[in-house]
Amino acid sequence: MPVQIGLIGGGNITETHARAAHAIPSVAIAAIYGTNPEKVGRLCREYGGQPYQDFKAFLAHRPMELVVIGSPSGLHAQQGIAAAQRGLHVLTEKPIDISVARTDALIAAANQSDVKLGVIFQDRVKPDIRRLKHWTDQGVLGKILFVDARVKWYRPPEYYGNSKWRGTHELDGGGALMNQGVHTVDLLLWLLGDVTRVQACTATALHKIESEDTAIAILEFANGALGTLHATTAAYPGYPRRVEITGSQGTVILEHDRIVAADLRTRPADFGSDSPVDTNPSASSAAVTDFRGHQAILEDFIRAIENNIQPLCDGAEGRKSVALIEAIYRAARQT
């Protein structure tokens, strides 16, 4: 029997989840919940599943083993807790939620109900990023000295203006950093470890939103490395994300999730790469047209359920990026 999953959200990212699920032969979409009946109905017609506008009725649908949450960020913990209490495994879009307190409540609910909890950070499955992770773990770069991460993206005014939740404190939890920059925050923590000290400045430079569209942070890592992080949705026309990591044994530059330069004293055995290119136009559009990363995360999560192991990014891992972003926001308010 296929794994029966439910989708929560009904918006653009839920369609990405539906496409990812549809591409896995062992998965079937059992139900889709959303507040827009037209969108939910269309998704069900195209990808299968029973449509719901009543959340409690959706959670009661059976058979259903897990839910994938693609609703506004500020609803992730609330909806995830409700699902966990019904015995459903929970895979949520990034960020896991918009506050550490709510994140901790979701983690506790999942533990209490003995269900798996995972967070969709698809960068962790991309081949060149995994290769860079292997290099940092194996000490190929030597002692990590500093990192420079730039997310200079652009979102047009209608990206925020046509949305009731983007850029709001209540449901987005922030702006460029909590929404777009969170992927890079997770990446830095995954590659380099915990951050112990933060200085920051934020601004609403271009868009008419409650939260920031530009953030700059100086980071001090537990391993002694220093870093800078720049995240914005105001850099027209939008540029590929770039991460430069320098260690005592060389420098590696990652651009648009590909290693574009690796100047190392000693070349590792897996130095060459022919990995497929991520085709998502992230720098200038929120559309996720390339769903392979989401598919890989969903496949990993199902393996975690079937083998009773932790998913690639579990609740505790997903919590780290929210905690660091909260620290950056606190530091910016004190500047």
Side-chain angles (χ1 to χ4, degrees):
M1 292 290 292
V3 176
Q4 301 285 332
I5 74 170
L7 305 182
I8 297 173
N12 293 335
I13 199 62
T14 297
E15 179 150 14
T16 300
H17 298 160
R19 294 173 66 205
H22 195 65
I24 305 172
S26 60
V27 168
I29 298 173
I32 302 178
Y33 164 79
T35 56
N36 187 316
E38 182 180 342
K39 288 184 176 180
V40 171
R42 181 185 63 79
L43 288 172
C44 288
R45 288 191 299 272
E46 291 188 21
Y47 302 102
Q50 184 171 330
Y52 285 93
Q53 280 77 59
D54 184 291
F55 189 57
K56 289 184 178 179
F58 164 81
L59 292 179
H61 182 96
R62 294 297 182 272
M64 189 163 71
E65 301 166 52
L66 68 97
V67 296
V68 183
I69 301 178
S71 55
S73 304
L75 298 177
H76 290 178
Q78 174 188 327
Q79 293 175 333
I81 290 168
Q85 290 173 342
R86 296 301 299 265
L88 297 165
H89 302 286
V90 178
L91 178 62
T92 179
E93 263 297 334
K94 59 75 189 169
I96 186 171
D97 199 89
I98 59 175
S99 78
V100 168
R102 280 147 60 161
T103 296
D104 287 344
L106 174 55
I107 293 171
N111 289 337
Q112 185 173 2
S113 297
D114 195 26
V115 298
K116 297 296 180 187
L117 172 61
V119 187
I120 300 174
F121 278 114
Q122 66 270 23
D123 289 350
R124 293 189 179 208
V125 301
K126 295 177 180 177
D128 272 19
I129 291 178
R130 292 191 66 84
R131 192 154 56 105
L132 181 53
K133 168 67 171 171
H134 177 72
W135 291 355
T136 56
D137 287 349
Q138 296 300 310
V140 172
L141 280 72
K143 174 181 171 59
I144 304 298
L145 305 176
F146 51 87
V147 59
D148 177 31
R150 282 166 274 171
V151 188
K152 298 179 71 174
W153 288 357
Y154 177 73
R155 296 293 182 264
E158 57 268 22
Y159 171 78
Y160 295 106
N162 294 342
S163 171
K164 295 179 180 179
W165 69 275
R166 291 191 182 105
T168 68
H169 295 305
E170 180 182 2
L171 291 176
D172 211 355
L177 191 56
M178 185 65 87
N179 196 311
Q180 286 79 17
V182 66
H183 280 291
T184 304
V185 172
D186 175 72
L187 182 61
L188 294 179
L189 292 167
W190 192 51
L191 291 174
L192 305 181
D194 293 339
V195 169
T196 56
R197 195 155 66 102
V198 173
Q199 299 177 59
C201 184
T202 62
T204 309
L206 179 66
H207 299 96
K208 295 181 179 179
I209 55 176
E210 294 178 357
S211 54
E212 88 293 343
D213 62 10
T214 302
I216 299 175
I218 299 173
L219 310 174
E220 184 175 330
F221 292 83
N223 63 8
L226 299 177
T228 58
L229 169 66
H230 181 187
T232 184
T233 55
Y236 180 84
Y239 299 89
R241 177 178 66 177
R242 188 176 176 93
V243 177
E244 302 179 6
I245 302 177
T246 293
S248 59
Q249 298 300 309
T251 295
V252 175
I253 300 175
L254 191 75
E255 187 170 280
H256 199 55
D257 305 330
R258 296 291 304 275
I259 294 174
V260 296
D263 300 307
L264 303 167
R265 292 185 189 275
T266 303
R267 289 192 174 191
D270 59 346
F271 184 81
S273 172
D274 57 356
S275 59
V277 177
D278 180 340
T279 60
N280 284 312
S282 305
S284 58
S285 171
V288 181
T289 55
D290 185 345
F291 61 84
R292 289 175 297 175
H294 285 76
Q295 179 183 341
I297 290 292
L298 180 54
E299 289 170 334
D300 170 80
F301 190 66
I302 291 170
R303 281 194 299 271
I305 295 170
E306 293 174 343
N307 297 295
N308 194 27
I309 58 176
Q310 291 304 311
L312 184 59
C313 185
D314 61 12
E317 281 287 294
R319 181 188 190 277
K320 293 179 180 179
S321 53
V322 176
L324 179 51
I325 290 173
E326 278 195 346
I328 291 172
Y329 286 158
R330 282 196 301 272
R333 289 194 295 270
Q334 296 166 3
T335 301

